[in-house]
Amino acid sequence: MKYQKECECCGNIVTAYTHNLNRPLVEALRKLVDFYDIKRRHCNLQGDLNLSKNQYNNFQKLQYFGLVHRDKEGWVPTYKGNNFIEGKIIVTGK
């Protein structure tokens, strides 16, 4: 979904897009958390996880919710991501 608003200063259209946390994204996060619990190292999505094309293409959206972090070594779940998978917190949006 997207929201549009006209800028009061310059008249340009400002657009904001929203993203939803859906089942395939949560399943992909679960795979990352399981991988990290076992290996205790950064993850390469293509080499280490068996993700569907949809999960792979949309994995970066998990960053919008603060559930994963990526650096030059690969992907890791955040503290928030681990707590979400363990059922300790609810994630709604950023």
Side-chain angles (χ1 to χ4, degrees):
M1 183 182 294
K2 70 178 183 177
Y3 299 97
Q4 292 184 334
K5 180 180 176 182
E6 186 175 326
C7 178
E8 299 168 1
C9 299
C10 64
N12 284 333
I13 299 295
V14 178
T15 304
Y17 294 90
T18 61
H19 297 280
N20 297 319
L21 195 56
N22 56 30
R23 185 181 186 121
L25 282 177
V26 173
E27 288 173 353
L29 174 61
R30 178 71 210 202
K31 289 179 182 183
L32 176 66
V33 169
D34 290 346
F35 175 86
Y36 190 78
D37 284 346
I38 294 167
K39 302 285 186 177
R40 288 290 178 207
R41 66 175 175 86
H42 287 72
C43 175
N44 175 295
L45 295 183
Q46 288 180 312
D48 297 326
L49 301 183
N50 184 21
L51 299 177
S52 70
K53 187 169 182 87
N54 179 355
Q55 289 172 320
Y56 176 76
N57 289 338
N58 292 302
F59 193 88
Q60 47 82 29
K61 290 182 182 178
L62 292 168
Q63 293 178 102
Y64 304 158
F65 299 95
L67 301 174
V68 297
H69 173 74
R70 181 181 183 199
D71 59 25
K72 63 180 180 174
E73 296 176 37
W75 293 90
V76 292
T78 62
Y79 181 73
K80 184 177 180 181
N82 280 318
N83 283 336
F84 174 70
I85 289 297
E86 292 172 5
K88 295 179 181 177
I89 63 169
I90 295 172
V91 175
T92 55
K94 200 166 183 185

